Amino acid sequence: MKNGIAWGVGAGALIMGLGVLGLSLRNPQGMQAAATPDPCASAAAVTLIRNVSETLHRLCLSVVDDAVRRPDGLDAFHIPPAVQDVVRQSWARRDPFLIGRFDLAWCDGQPRLIEYNADTPATLPESTRMQTLWHRQRGHLHSHAPLDAQALVNRLADLRQKGRIDRTLHIVPYPDNLEDTTHAVYYRQWAEQAGLEAIHCELRDLEITNDGQLLHRGRIVRSMIRMYPWELMFRDSGARHLQQCGCTFLNPPWTALLSNKALLPALWKRYPGHPNLLAAGYVSQDVTGREGRSSPRAYVEKPIHARGGENVRILRDGRALCAEAGTYGAYPKIYQEFADHRIDGVTASVGAWIVGDSFAGLTMRESQDPIVRHTSPIVPHLVRRPGFMRRLLRSG
């Protein structure tokens, strides 16, 4: 189920080399209460997030490559057998990747992967214009790192120049969803800035030609940005046309593996002990390491297909410490090590955007309990300029 989100106007976040510091805008003097870090720590922190997110993206692609090469590799991701060749062929063609967002926990100075929203990532308006508008209106001396809309424009222009997408780009939101309708407006503007003809298209208005191509109001759809998730598309009756429809989808079918929580156990199995991963598996003992015995360690249960924190439970010894209801409970579950990434009692999630293969900005989100939901506010953020604390201390 797709939902709207909230934009938090009462809090901000300051990226620092020693971690992520919550900063109340109602008390801007709270910044002076921070411990004094290395003057250049802020630049190092953003660089660390950049490097980690780009590395994680490469690790995820290696998991995709391994899964599509093995005859049973897509079964763990519960890709329906009838469309597995669609995923394999999409990867074999190297269908282009447009955009994704890592959700990271900041733990002991290291970002660690919670999940990868790399199918239909949300929060585009909040991560671009709203963050930039807030920063401009507040007049902060600090920098910030919003999602770089120009990187998206450049990516689309580059894909067109290389012949990877058609000059006409159809943009298809999730049906009857205000958030995705808004996303479609943004994608349309960015596509037009890239020199493309962008056409808003409702899912219900798509038809199929006699030879299996997608048709919208008399025009063949050759390239599409879609916000209808792959796990739903793969199970629709129209999925039988995907293999021969000739449409380039952004994001492509192989990204169904990236947005799937089965990615997390696959990553941990392939890269056990990696400092930017959390232990994950298909039974709780894979995470707690205590088969048949109680463990003081908390862990997280997630459906392989879930959005907005729905059907997530935080458990200890099988007892729920925190849980969220939802519509994804029938899907298979995975288990992940619990990362306590509270700052001053608030759970802070760091969103790291990837456009193409490169880091493209940050989104900060806060929750009053350990589960980050679709209603959890996105908060504006600041990146401390190098030397700021030194200047601040001198001025005092």
Side-chain angles (χ1 to χ4, degrees), residues 250-297:
L250 300 174
N251 281 330
W254 60 262
T255 60
L257 278 63
L258 301 185
S259 61
N260 190 311
K261 306 302 185 294
L263 173 73
L264 303 172
L267 280 168
W268 188 250
K269 182 178 180 180
R270 191 172 178 89
Y271 304 102
H274 192 285
N276 303 118
L277 297 176
L278 296 166
Y282 289 98
V283 293
S284 61
Q285 290 79 11
D286 292 337
V287 175
T288 64
R290 297 288 190 94
E291 187 170 357
R293 294 181 292 164
S294 63
S295 171
R297 297 171 61 183

Side-chain angles (χ1 to χ4, degrees), residues 274-354:
H274 192 285
N276 303 118
L277 297 176
L278 296 166
Y282 289 98
V283 293
S284 61
Q285 290 79 11
D286 292 337
V287 175
T288 64
R290 297 288 190 94
E291 187 170 357
R293 294 181 292 164
S294 63
S295 171
R297 297 171 61 183
Y299 55 95
V300 184
E301 178 188 79
K302 302 178 179 181
I304 63 168
H305 300 306
R307 296 165 188 267
E310 288 192 36
N311 298 105
V312 169
R313 296 198 301 164
I314 298 173
L315 305 162
R316 181 181 290 124
D317 286 336
R319 296 189 299 273
L321 305 178
C322 187
E324 179 72 6
T327 59
Y328 299 95
Y331 287 112
K333 310 293 193 300
I334 65 99
Y335 296 88
Q336 186 182 42
E337 175 186 354
F338 172 64
D340 187 352
H341 48 116
R342 289 175 294 176
I343 301 164
D344 293 335
V346 176
T347 298
S349 174
V350 179
W353 289 95
I354 295 288

Side-chain angles (χ1 to χ4, degrees), residues 212-232:
Q213 292 180 297
L214 297 176
L215 191 69
H216 177 247
R217 297 180 179 173
R219 299 181 67 172
I220 299 297
V221 179
R222 305 188 188 281
S223 297
M224 176 193 298
I225 292 178
R226 41 131 218 118
M227 284 150 267
Y228 193 59
W230 281 120
E231 68 264 21
L232 298 183

